[in-house]
Amino acid sequence: GENVEQHPSTLSVQEGDSAVIKCTYSDSASNYFPWYKQELGKRPQLIIDIRSNVGEKKDQRIAVTLNKTAKHFSLHITETQPEDSAVYFCAASDNNNDMRFGAGTRLTVKP
Amino acid sequence: SAVISQKPSRDICQRGTSLTIQCQVDSQVTMMFWYRQQPGQSLTLIATANQGSEATYESGFVIDKFPISRPNLTFSTLTVSNMSPEDSSIYLCSVEESVGGELFFGEGSRLTVL
């Protein structure tokens, strides 16, 4: 089955700096790669996703890149703000609806 | 996007008892899933709740411990049976509105077993 690894487990940045979180996956059949943000005590919510036919996707300060050959994808947050502080999860799934999550990255943005 | 209601939102239970968590969606969905999130951990898939047939369980989870019902396309229940303190966790219901697409999560049910 799919195995998703995520790094780093914790990340601390100064407000205004960029943050990068990286994930690798094992199943070459995976074709959908979402990123979820989970604030303390809240449900996980999708912030951006990418499909395997696309190499990069951007939404304002958030971007995701995908390298299918190397089986890794990354989340980039620019101009970080304190409200970006949360736990971020990457995930990978295929058409069999089998979504697997990474271990999570706790991002802290210091004002 | 789907609106998912879960209850109870939290409960404190005694060892050896069972608790049933309900998940109600505001629209008909084909795929419903149950996840477990232990304190400070990631999301682990327990099972896929299939309408009209038995749930499909992931490795490490069995029907006797986590029986699931899916009577229609908008509702599912997860029971945590014969609970022990190790079952203390957040249990999340999730749905997929389209095949291979975004998962929407309920608010979760925080279970504490004494």
Side-chain angles (χ1 to χ4, degrees), chain B residues 45-97:
Chain B
L45 181 62
I46 298 171
T48 302
N50 304 307
Q51 196 266 333
S53 64
E54 278 197 0
T56 305
Y57 289 84
E58 296 300 307
S59 175
F61 298 96
V62 295
I63 188 171
D64 289 347
K65 176 67 176 177
F66 297 101
I68 286 171
S69 78
R70 178 84 194 273
N72 56 53
L73 292 176
T74 64
F75 187 78
S76 178
T77 67
L78 170 75
T79 299
V80 186
S81 303
N82 187 25
M83 288 182 285
S84 66
E86 293 72 34
D87 294 320
S88 297
S89 189
I90 298 173
Y91 293 85
L92 294 131
C93 169
S94 70
V95 305
E96 187 178 72
E97 288 190 321

mmCIF file of all heavy atoms in Angstrom, chain B residues 45-97:
data_model
loop_
_atom_site.group_PDB
_atom_site.id
_atom_site.type_symbol
_atom_site.label_atom_id
_atom_site.label_comp_id
_atom_site.label_asym_id
_atom_site.label_seq_id
_atom_site.Cartn_x
_atom_site.Cartn_y
_atom_site.Cartn_z
ATOM 1 N N LEU B 45 -6.557 5.870 8.589
ATOM 2 C CA LEU B 45 -7.823 5.356 8.080
ATOM 3 C C LEU B 45 -8.199 4.068 8.813
ATOM 4 O O LEU B 45 -7.405 3.126 8.856
ATOM 5 C CB LEU B 45 -7.714 5.103 6.585
ATOM 6 C CG LEU B 45 -8.961 4.587 5.868
ATOM 7 C CD1 LEU B 45 -10.101 5.599 5.957
ATOM 8 C CD2 LEU B 45 -8.657 4.263 4.409
ATOM 9 N N ILE B 46 -9.397 4.054 9.381
ATOM 10 C CA ILE B 46 -9.913 2.855 10.037
ATOM 11 C C ILE B 46 -10.600 1.971 9.009
ATOM 12 O O ILE B 46 -10.302 0.777 8.879
ATOM 13 C CB ILE B 46 -10.911 3.213 11.161
ATOM 14 C CG1 ILE B 46 -10.234 4.034 12.261
ATOM 15 C CG2 ILE B 46 -11.562 1.953 11.730
ATOM 16 C CD1 ILE B 46 -11.198 4.599 13.285
ATOM 17 N N ALA B 47 -11.549 2.576 8.289
ATOM 18 C CA ALA B 47 -12.339 1.786 7.345
ATOM 19 C C ALA B 47 -13.096 2.693 6.392
ATOM 20 O O ALA B 47 -13.301 3.877 6.658
ATOM 21 C CB ALA B 47 -13.324 0.894 8.096
ATOM 22 N N THR B 48 -13.490 2.109 5.301
ATOM 23 C CA THR B 48 -14.389 2.754 4.341
ATOM 24 C C THR B 48 -15.783 2.203 4.570
ATOM 25 O O THR B 48 -15.980 0.978 4.582
ATOM 26 C CB THR B 48 -13.940 2.455 2.906
ATOM 27 O OG1 THR B 48 -12.598 2.912 2.738
ATOM 28 C CG2 THR B 48 -14.847 3.134 1.903
ATOM 29 N N ALA B 49 -16.737 3.104 4.768
ATOM 30 C CA ALA B 49 -18.124 2.692 5.027
ATOM 31 C C ALA B 49 -18.863 2.601 3.702
ATOM 32 O O ALA B 49 -19.060 3.607 3.025
ATOM 33 C CB ALA B 49 -18.802 3.694 5.959
ATOM 34 N N ASN B 50 -19.246 1.428 3.319
ATOM 35 C CA ASN B 50 -19.895 1.180 2.035
ATOM 36 C C ASN B 50 -21.399 1.078 2.235
ATOM 37 O O ASN B 50 -21.863 0.320 3.100
ATOM 38 C CB ASN B 50 -19.353 -0.114 1.419
ATOM 39 C CG ASN B 50 -17.843 -0.095 1.263
ATOM 40 O OD1 ASN B 50 -17.272 0.819 0.684
ATOM 41 N ND2 ASN B 50 -17.182 -1.112 1.800
ATOM 42 N N GLN B 51 -22.138 1.788 1.417
ATOM 43 C CA GLN B 51 -23.596 1.732 1.522
ATOM 44 C C GLN B 51 -24.101 0.412 0.971
ATOM 45 O O GLN B 51 -23.772 0.040 -0.146
ATOM 46 C CB GLN B 51 -24.213 2.913 0.773
ATOM 47 C CG GLN B 51 -25.668 3.156 1.128
ATOM 48 C CD GLN B 51 -26.634 2.470 0.189
ATOM 49 O OE1 GLN B 51 -26.308 2.231 -0.959
ATOM 50 N NE2 GLN B 51 -27.821 2.162 0.668
ATOM 51 N N GLY B 52 -24.840 -0.304 1.777
ATOM 52 C CA GLY B 52 -25.448 -1.546 1.329
ATOM 53 C C GLY B 52 -24.555 -2.768 1.441
ATOM 54 O O GLY B 52 -24.964 -3.864 1.053
ATOM 55 N N SER B 53 -23.357 -2.603 1.965
ATOM 56 C CA SER B 53 -22.477 -3.764 2.147
ATOM 57 C C SER B 53 -21.587 -3.543 3.360
ATOM 58 O O SER B 53 -21.593 -2.450 3.943
ATOM 59 C CB SER B 53 -21.623 -4.003 0.895
ATOM 60 O OG SER B 53 -20.761 -2.906 0.680
ATOM 61 N N GLU B 54 -20.818 -4.543 3.706
ATOM 62 C CA GLU B 54 -19.940 -4.411 4.874
ATOM 63 C C GLU B 54 -18.832 -3.398 4.623
ATOM 64 O O GLU B 54 -18.380 -3.226 3.484
ATOM 65 C CB GLU B 54 -19.326 -5.771 5.204
ATOM 66 C CG GLU B 54 -20.250 -6.661 6.013
ATOM 67 C CD GLU B 54 -19.498 -7.813 6.669
ATOM 68 O OE1 GLU B 54 -18.275 -7.921 6.492
ATOM 69 O OE2 GLU B 54 -20.157 -8.605 7.363
ATOM 70 N N ALA B 55 -18.389 -2.783 5.703
ATOM 71 C CA ALA B 55 -17.283 -1.841 5.601
ATOM 72 C C ALA B 55 -15.991 -2.558 5.234
ATOM 73 O O ALA B 55 -15.824 -3.757 5.501
ATOM 74 C CB ALA B 55 -17.115 -1.091 6.919
ATOM 75 N N THR B 56 -15.093 -1.813 4.623
ATOM 76 C CA THR B 56 -13.777 -2.337 4.263
ATOM 77 C C THR B 56 -12.766 -1.795 5.268
ATOM 78 O O THR B 56 -12.552 -0.585 5.344
ATOM 79 C CB THR B 56 -13.390 -1.882 2.846
ATOM 80 O OG1 THR B 56 -14.418 -2.262 1.937
ATOM 81 C CG2 THR B 56 -12.073 -2.523 2.438
ATOM 82 N N TYR B 57 -12.121 -2.687 6.021
ATOM 83 C CA TYR B 57 -11.231 -2.289 7.108
ATOM 84 C C TYR B 57 -9.774 -2.293 6.672
ATOM 85 O O TYR B 57 -9.343 -3.135 5.884
ATOM 86 C CB TYR B 57 -11.416 -3.215 8.321
ATOM 87 C CG TYR B 57 -12.746 -2.991 9.004
ATOM 88 C CD1 TYR B 57 -13.901 -3.612 8.543
ATOM 89 C CD2 TYR B 57 -12.842 -2.136 10.093
ATOM 90 C CE1 TYR B 57 -15.127 -3.374 9.146
ATOM 91 C CE2 TYR B 57 -14.066 -1.896 10.712
ATOM 92 C CZ TYR B 57 -15.206 -2.521 10.226
ATOM 93 O OH TYR B 57 -16.414 -2.285 10.830
ATOM 94 N N GLU B 58 -9.032 -1.352 7.236
ATOM 95 C CA GLU B 58 -7.592 -1.282 6.987
ATOM 96 C C GLU B 58 -6.871 -2.245 7.920
ATOM 97 O O GLU B 58 -7.422 -2.692 8.943
ATOM 98 C CB GLU B 58 -7.090 0.142 7.229
ATOM 99 C CG GLU B 58 -7.682 1.151 6.263
ATOM 100 C CD GLU B 58 -7.360 0.839 4.814
ATOM 101 O OE1 GLU B 58 -6.164 0.674 4.489
ATOM 102 O OE2 GLU B 58 -8.299 0.750 3.997
ATOM 103 N N SER B 59 -5.641 -2.510 7.566
ATOM 104 C CA SER B 59 -4.817 -3.401 8.374
ATOM 105 C C SER B 59 -4.713 -2.859 9.798
ATOM 106 O O SER B 59 -4.446 -1.678 10.009
ATOM 107 C CB SER B 59 -3.425 -3.511 7.752
ATOM 108 O OG SER B 59 -2.574 -4.276 8.557
ATOM 109 N N GLY B 60 -4.947 -3.723 10.758
ATOM 110 C CA GLY B 60 -4.868 -3.329 12.155
ATOM 111 C C GLY B 60 -6.204 -2.973 12.774
ATOM 112 O O GLY B 60 -6.278 -2.751 13.986
ATOM 113 N N PHE B 61 -7.240 -2.930 11.974
ATOM 114 C CA PHE B 61 -8.586 -2.616 12.462
ATOM 115 C C PHE B 61 -9.532 -3.747 12.075
ATOM 116 O O PHE B 61 -9.478 -4.234 10.942
ATOM 117 C CB PHE B 61 -9.081 -1.296 11.872
ATOM 118 C CG PHE B 61 -8.242 -0.110 12.254
ATOM 119 C CD1 PHE B 61 -7.250 0.345 11.402
ATOM 120 C CD2 PHE B 61 -8.431 0.542 13.459
ATOM 121 C CE1 PHE B 61 -6.452 1.434 11.743
ATOM 122 C CE2 PHE B 61 -7.648 1.638 13.815
ATOM 123 C CZ PHE B 61 -6.656 2.074 12.953
ATOM 124 N N VAL B 62 -10.381 -4.167 13.018
ATOM 125 C CA VAL B 62 -11.282 -5.290 12.761
ATOM 126 C C VAL B 62 -12.717 -4.918 13.095
ATOM 127 O O VAL B 62 -12.971 -4.049 13.940
ATOM 128 C CB VAL B 62 -10.860 -6.543 13.561
ATOM 129 C CG1 VAL B 62 -9.506 -7.044 13.091
ATOM 130 C CG2 VAL B 62 -10.838 -6.249 15.057
ATOM 131 N N ILE B 63 -13.618 -5.630 12.439
ATOM 132 C CA ILE B 63 -15.041 -5.324 12.559
ATOM 133 C C ILE B 63 -15.550 -5.532 13.981
ATOM 134 O O ILE B 63 -16.420 -4.786 14.441
ATOM 135 C CB ILE B 63 -15.850 -6.155 11.543
ATOM 136 C CG1 ILE B 63 -17.317 -5.712 11.508
ATOM 137 C CG2 ILE B 63 -15.733 -7.629 11.847
ATOM 138 C CD1 ILE B 63 -18.114 -6.334 10.381
ATOM 139 N N ASP B 64 -15.041 -6.498 14.698
ATOM 140 C CA ASP B 64 -15.529 -6.752 16.056
ATOM 141 C C ASP B 64 -15.225 -5.576 16.981
ATOM 142 O O ASP B 64 -15.983 -5.310 17.912
ATOM 143 C CB ASP B 64 -14.901 -8.034 16.623
ATOM 144 C CG ASP B 64 -15.440 -9.273 15.941
ATOM 145 O OD1 ASP B 64 -16.455 -9.158 15.224
ATOM 146 O OD2 ASP B 64 -14.847 -10.358 16.121
ATOM 147 N N LYS B 65 -14.126 -4.906 16.749
ATOM 148 C CA LYS B 65 -13.717 -3.777 17.592
ATOM 149 C C LYS B 65 -14.359 -2.466 17.116
ATOM 150 O O LYS B 65 -14.727 -1.634 17.932
ATOM 151 C CB LYS B 65 -12.190 -3.649 17.539
ATOM 152 C CG LYS B 65 -11.618 -2.464 18.287
ATOM 153 C CD LYS B 65 -11.804 -2.599 19.795
ATOM 154 C CE LYS B 65 -11.131 -1.435 20.525
ATOM 155 N NZ LYS B 65 -11.366 -1.509 21.994
ATOM 156 N N PHE B 66 -14.494 -2.325 15.804
ATOM 157 C CA PHE B 66 -15.013 -1.083 15.229
ATOM 158 C C PHE B 66 -16.152 -1.374 14.245
ATOM 159 O O PHE B 66 -16.033 -1.103 13.043
ATOM 160 C CB PHE B 66 -13.890 -0.321 14.508
ATOM 161 C CG PHE B 66 -12.766 0.132 15.379
ATOM 162 C CD1 PHE B 66 -11.572 -0.580 15.421
ATOM 163 C CD2 PHE B 66 -12.892 1.253 16.178
ATOM 164 C CE1 PHE B 66 -10.514 -0.167 16.232
ATOM 165 C CE2 PHE B 66 -11.843 1.687 16.986
ATOM 166 C CZ PHE B 66 -10.665 0.967 17.012
ATOM 167 N N PRO B 67 -17.267 -1.868 14.707
ATOM 168 C CA PRO B 67 -18.380 -2.104 13.775
ATOM 169 C C PRO B 67 -18.904 -0.797 13.193
ATOM 170 O O PRO B 67 -18.977 0.218 13.884
ATOM 171 C CB PRO B 67 -19.438 -2.809 14.648
ATOM 172 C CG PRO B 67 -19.035 -2.547 16.057
ATOM 173 C CD PRO B 67 -17.553 -2.321 16.082
ATOM 174 N N ILE B 68 -19.227 -0.853 11.919
ATOM 175 C CA ILE B 68 -19.657 0.332 11.172
ATOM 176 C C ILE B 68 -20.979 0.031 10.500
ATOM 177 O O ILE B 68 -21.195 -1.056 9.973
ATOM 178 C CB ILE B 68 -18.596 0.715 10.122
ATOM 179 C CG1 ILE B 68 -17.367 1.345 10.788
ATOM 180 C CG2 ILE B 68 -19.169 1.658 9.063
ATOM 181 C CD1 ILE B 68 -16.188 1.551 9.854
ATOM 182 N N SER B 69 -21.865 1.022 10.504
ATOM 183 C CA SER B 69 -23.100 0.905 9.738
ATOM 184 C C SER B 69 -23.141 2.008 8.701
ATOM 185 O O SER B 69 -22.556 3.085 8.876
ATOM 186 C CB SER B 69 -24.330 1.004 10.659
ATOM 187 O OG SER B 69 -24.591 2.353 11.008
ATOM 188 N N ARG B 70 -23.812 1.707 7.579
ATOM 189 C CA ARG B 70 -23.994 2.719 6.524
ATOM 190 C C ARG B 70 -25.358 2.442 5.901
ATOM 191 O O ARG B 70 -25.446 1.876 4.817
ATOM 192 C CB ARG B 70 -22.874 2.608 5.496
ATOM 193 C CG ARG B 70 -22.986 3.586 4.339
ATOM 194 C CD ARG B 70 -22.418 4.935 4.646
ATOM 195 N NE ARG B 70 -22.828 5.925 3.670
ATOM 196 C CZ ARG B 70 -22.186 6.171 2.519
ATOM 197 N NH1 ARG B 70 -21.117 5.476 2.200
ATOM 198 N NH2 ARG B 70 -22.619 7.102 1.727
ATOM 199 N N PRO B 71 -26.438 2.824 6.579
ATOM 200 C CA PRO B 71 -27.771 2.465 6.111
ATOM 201 C C PRO B 71 -28.218 3.214 4.864
ATOM 202 O O PRO B 71 -29.100 2.734 4.151
ATOM 203 C CB PRO B 71 -28.663 2.830 7.308
ATOM 204 C CG PRO B 71 -27.906 3.890 8.036
ATOM 205 C CD PRO B 71 -26.462 3.542 7.865
ATOM 206 N N ASN B 72 -27.637 4.391 4.606
ATOM 207 C CA ASN B 72 -28.015 5.153 3.407
ATOM 208 C C ASN B 72 -26.854 6.040 2.986
ATOM 209 O O ASN B 72 -25.758 5.967 3.555
ATOM 210 C CB ASN B 72 -29.279 5.978 3.682
ATOM 211 C CG ASN B 72 -29.117 6.905 4.879
ATOM 212 O OD1 ASN B 72 -28.172 7.679 4.942
ATOM 213 N ND2 ASN B 72 -30.048 6.826 5.827
ATOM 214 N N LEU B 73 -27.089 6.892 1.983
ATOM 215 C CA LEU B 73 -25.997 7.676 1.397
ATOM 216 C C LEU B 73 -25.668 8.952 2.172
ATOM 217 O O LEU B 73 -24.807 9.716 1.757
ATOM 218 C CB LEU B 73 -26.349 8.034 -0.061
ATOM 219 C CG LEU B 73 -26.394 6.846 -1.021
ATOM 220 C CD1 LEU B 73 -26.853 7.297 -2.399
ATOM 221 C CD2 LEU B 73 -25.030 6.176 -1.124
ATOM 222 N N THR B 74 -26.364 9.184 3.300
ATOM 223 C CA THR B 74 -26.093 10.407 4.060
ATOM 224 C C THR B 74 -25.705 10.144 5.519
ATOM 225 O O THR B 74 -25.474 11.087 6.282
ATOM 226 C CB THR B 74 -27.327 11.338 4.078
ATOM 227 O OG1 THR B 74 -28.401 10.681 4.763
ATOM 228 C CG2 THR B 74 -27.742 11.702 2.669
ATOM 229 N N PHE B 75 -25.604 8.900 5.921
ATOM 230 C CA PHE B 75 -25.430 8.604 7.338
ATOM 231 C C PHE B 75 -24.543 7.387 7.549
ATOM 232 O O PHE B 75 -24.602 6.414 6.784
ATOM 233 C CB PHE B 75 -26.813 8.361 7.973
ATOM 234 C CG PHE B 75 -26.796 8.201 9.469
ATOM 235 C CD1 PHE B 75 -26.691 9.295 10.300
ATOM 236 C CD2 PHE B 75 -26.907 6.931 10.043
ATOM 237 C CE1 PHE B 75 -26.691 9.148 11.677
ATOM 238 C CE2 PHE B 75 -26.905 6.770 11.419
ATOM 239 C CZ PHE B 75 -26.796 7.891 12.240
ATOM 240 N N SER B 76 -23.750 7.456 8.618
ATOM 241 C CA SER B 76 -22.934 6.306 9.008
ATOM 242 C C SER B 76 -22.686 6.365 10.514
ATOM 243 O O SER B 76 -22.736 7.434 11.124
ATOM 244 C CB SER B 76 -21.599 6.319 8.258
ATOM 245 O OG SER B 76 -20.773 5.248 8.658
ATOM 246 N N THR B 77 -22.442 5.220 11.107
ATOM 247 C CA THR B 77 -22.037 5.165 12.506
ATOM 248 C C THR B 77 -20.787 4.320 12.644
ATOM 249 O O THR B 77 -20.571 3.369 11.884
ATOM 250 C CB THR B 77 -23.137 4.585 13.421
ATOM 251 O OG1 THR B 77 -23.336 3.200 13.118
ATOM 252 C CG2 THR B 77 -24.439 5.347 13.286
ATOM 253 N N LEU B 78 -19.978 4.691 13.626
ATOM 254 C CA LEU B 78 -18.808 3.914 14.030
ATOM 255 C C LEU B 78 -18.955 3.614 15.515
ATOM 256 O O LEU B 78 -19.192 4.521 16.310
ATOM 257 C CB LEU B 78 -17.516 4.716 13.807
ATOM 258 C CG LEU B 78 -16.245 4.115 14.414
ATOM 259 C CD1 LEU B 78 -15.762 2.930 13.594
ATOM 260 C CD2 LEU B 78 -15.147 5.173 14.524
ATOM 261 N N THR B 79 -18.852 2.352 15.884
ATOM 262 C CA THR B 79 -18.882 1.968 17.285
ATOM 263 C C THR B 79 -17.484 1.561 17.720
ATOM 264 O O THR B 79 -16.802 0.826 16.999
ATOM 265 C CB THR B 79 -19.865 0.808 17.516
ATOM 266 O OG1 THR B 79 -21.185 1.234 17.144
ATOM 267 C CG2 THR B 79 -19.871 0.378 18.980
ATOM 268 N N VAL B 80 -17.059 2.082 18.851
ATOM 269 C CA VAL B 80 -15.805 1.649 19.451
ATOM 270 C C VAL B 80 -16.197 0.711 20.592
ATOM 271 O O VAL B 80 -16.820 1.145 21.572
ATOM 272 C CB VAL B 80 -14.967 2.833 19.974
ATOM 273 C CG1 VAL B 80 -13.598 2.349 20.448
ATOM 274 C CG2 VAL B 80 -14.804 3.890 18.885
ATOM 275 N N SER B 81 -15.856 -0.565 20.439
ATOM 276 C CA SER B 81 -16.351 -1.598 21.349
ATOM 277 C C SER B 81 -15.333 -1.946 22.423
ATOM 278 O O SER B 81 -14.118 -1.861 22.198
ATOM 279 C CB SER B 81 -16.682 -2.869 20.557
ATOM 280 O OG SER B 81 -17.616 -2.608 19.553
ATOM 281 N N ASN B 82 -15.858 -2.342 23.575
ATOM 282 C CA ASN B 82 -15.004 -2.833 24.662
ATOM 283 C C ASN B 82 -13.783 -1.931 24.831
ATOM 284 O O ASN B 82 -12.638 -2.369 24.699
ATOM 285 C CB ASN B 82 -14.584 -4.272 24.389
ATOM 286 C CG ASN B 82 -13.848 -4.911 25.552
ATOM 287 O OD1 ASN B 82 -14.015 -4.509 26.710
ATOM 288 N ND2 ASN B 82 -13.033 -5.908 25.265
ATOM 289 N N MET B 83 -14.042 -0.674 25.126
ATOM 290 C CA MET B 83 -12.993 0.345 25.096
ATOM 291 C C MET B 83 -11.940 0.176 26.181
ATOM 292 O O MET B 83 -12.223 -0.277 27.298
ATOM 293 C CB MET B 83 -13.629 1.728 25.203
ATOM 294 C CG MET B 83 -14.368 2.138 23.945
ATOM 295 S SD MET B 83 -15.044 3.783 24.061
ATOM 296 C CE MET B 83 -16.427 3.500 25.148
ATOM 297 N N SER B 84 -10.724 0.565 25.829
ATOM 298 C CA SER B 84 -9.606 0.626 26.765
ATOM 299 C C SER B 84 -8.985 2.017 26.641
ATOM 300 O O SER B 84 -9.254 2.737 25.673
ATOM 301 C CB SER B 84 -8.574 -0.455 26.438
ATOM 302 O OG SER B 84 -7.981 -0.190 25.186
ATOM 303 N N PRO B 85 -8.152 2.406 27.593
ATOM 304 C CA PRO B 85 -7.528 3.742 27.504
ATOM 305 C C PRO B 85 -6.791 3.989 26.185
ATOM 306 O O PRO B 85 -6.707 5.139 25.734
ATOM 307 C CB PRO B 85 -6.565 3.753 28.692
ATOM 308 C CG PRO B 85 -7.237 2.870 29.700
ATOM 309 C CD PRO B 85 -7.861 1.771 28.886
ATOM 310 N N GLU B 86 -6.302 2.923 25.556
ATOM 311 C CA GLU B 86 -5.592 3.073 24.279
ATOM 312 C C GLU B 86 -6.516 3.544 23.151
ATOM 313 O O GLU B 86 -6.040 3.990 22.105
ATOM 314 C CB GLU B 86 -4.944 1.747 23.870
ATOM 315 C CG GLU B 86 -3.804 1.290 24.766
ATOM 316 C CD GLU B 86 -4.253 0.803 26.128
ATOM 317 O OE1 GLU B 86 -5.356 0.199 26.217
ATOM 318 O OE2 GLU B 86 -3.537 1.034 27.125
ATOM 319 N N ASP B 87 -7.810 3.435 23.357
ATOM 320 C CA ASP B 87 -8.775 3.904 22.364
ATOM 321 C C ASP B 87 -9.046 5.401 22.482
ATOM 322 O O ASP B 87 -9.774 5.964 21.652
ATOM 323 C CB ASP B 87 -10.095 3.138 22.508
ATOM 324 C CG ASP B 87 -9.949 1.661 22.167
ATOM 325 O OD1 ASP B 87 -9.226 1.343 21.198
ATOM 326 O OD2 ASP B 87 -10.557 0.819 22.869
ATOM 327 N N SER B 88 -8.478 6.042 23.496
ATOM 328 C CA SER B 88 -8.639 7.493 23.640
ATOM 329 C C SER B 88 -8.042 8.174 22.422
ATOM 330 O O SER B 88 -6.848 8.017 22.120
ATOM 331 C CB SER B 88 -7.949 7.979 24.915
ATOM 332 O OG SER B 88 -8.553 7.400 26.052
ATOM 333 N N SER B 89 -8.878 8.934 21.717
ATOM 334 C CA SER B 89 -8.454 9.490 20.443
ATOM 335 C C SER B 89 -9.556 10.396 19.914
ATOM 336 O O SER B 89 -10.633 10.488 20.492
ATOM 337 C CB SER B 89 -8.209 8.342 19.448
ATOM 338 O OG SER B 89 -7.614 8.795 18.264
ATOM 339 N N ILE B 90 -9.272 11.047 18.794
ATOM 340 C CA ILE B 90 -10.308 11.752 18.048
ATOM 341 C C ILE B 90 -10.685 10.870 16.865
ATOM 342 O O ILE B 90 -9.821 10.391 16.134
ATOM 343 C CB ILE B 90 -9.819 13.127 17.553
ATOM 344 C CG1 ILE B 90 -9.465 14.016 18.740
ATOM 345 C CG2 ILE B 90 -10.886 13.798 16.689
ATOM 346 C CD1 ILE B 90 -8.819 15.328 18.347
ATOM 347 N N TYR B 91 -11.979 10.677 16.696
ATOM 348 C CA TYR B 91 -12.474 9.886 15.576
ATOM 349 C C TYR B 91 -13.169 10.837 14.608
ATOM 350 O O TYR B 91 -14.047 11.609 14.999
ATOM 351 C CB TYR B 91 -13.426 8.793 16.067
ATOM 352 C CG TYR B 91 -12.690 7.755 16.895
ATOM 353 C CD1 TYR B 91 -12.470 7.956 18.258
ATOM 354 C CD2 TYR B 91 -12.166 6.612 16.304
ATOM 355 C CE1 TYR B 91 -11.766 7.032 19.018
ATOM 356 C CE2 TYR B 91 -11.469 5.678 17.054
ATOM 357 C CZ TYR B 91 -11.263 5.901 18.416
ATOM 358 O OH TYR B 91 -10.554 4.986 19.153
ATOM 359 N N LEU B 92 -12.746 10.765 13.361
ATOM 360 C CA LEU B 92 -13.242 11.702 12.357
ATOM 361 C C LEU B 92 -13.957 10.971 11.234
ATOM 362 O O LEU B 92 -13.432 9.997 10.682
ATOM 363 C CB LEU B 92 -12.089 12.510 11.753
ATOM 364 C CG LEU B 92 -11.363 13.457 12.705
ATOM 365 C CD1 LEU B 92 -9.874 13.283 12.600
ATOM 366 C CD2 LEU B 92 -11.749 14.890 12.391
ATOM 367 N N CYS B 93 -15.119 11.482 10.906
ATOM 368 C CA CYS B 93 -15.840 11.019 9.734
ATOM 369 C C CYS B 93 -15.427 11.900 8.562
ATOM 370 O O CYS B 93 -15.210 13.113 8.732
ATOM 371 C CB CYS B 93 -17.342 11.148 10.006
ATOM 372 S SG CYS B 93 -18.407 10.914 8.579
ATOM 373 N N SER B 94 -15.291 11.315 7.390
ATOM 374 C CA SER B 94 -14.977 12.121 6.219
ATOM 375 C C SER B 94 -15.739 11.594 5.013
ATOM 376 O O SER B 94 -16.119 10.420 4.975
ATOM 377 C CB SER B 94 -13.477 12.140 5.942
ATOM 378 O OG SER B 94 -13.036 10.896 5.482
ATOM 379 N N VAL B 95 -15.943 12.483 4.049
ATOM 380 C CA VAL B 95 -16.654 12.105 2.833
ATOM 381 C C VAL B 95 -15.901 12.629 1.628
ATOM 382 O O VAL B 95 -15.141 13.603 1.706
ATOM 383 C CB VAL B 95 -18.105 12.641 2.820
ATOM 384 C CG1 VAL B 95 -18.846 12.197 4.059
ATOM 385 C CG2 VAL B 95 -18.153 14.145 2.660
ATOM 386 N N GLU B 96 -16.143 11.972 0.519
ATOM 387 C CA GLU B 96 -15.559 12.367 -0.754
ATOM 388 C C GLU B 96 -16.705 12.621 -1.701
ATOM 389 O O GLU B 96 -17.515 11.735 -1.967
ATOM 390 C CB GLU B 96 -14.677 11.222 -1.251
ATOM 391 C CG GLU B 96 -13.858 11.523 -2.473
ATOM 392 C CD GLU B 96 -13.001 10.331 -2.842
ATOM 393 O OE1 GLU B 96 -13.574 9.338 -3.332
ATOM 394 O OE2 GLU B 96 -11.779 10.386 -2.626
ATOM 395 N N GLU B 97 -16.805 13.855 -2.180
ATOM 396 C CA GLU B 97 -17.940 14.195 -3.036
ATOM 397 C C GLU B 97 -17.764 13.664 -4.452
ATOM 398 O O GLU B 97 -18.744 13.386 -5.142
ATOM 399 C CB GLU B 97 -18.135 15.710 -3.064
ATOM 400 C CG GLU B 97 -18.686 16.255 -1.746
ATOM 401 C CD GLU B 97 -19.100 17.698 -1.863
ATOM 402 O OE1 GLU B 97 -18.391 18.469 -2.537
ATOM 403 O OE2 GLU B 97 -20.133 18.068 -1.266
#
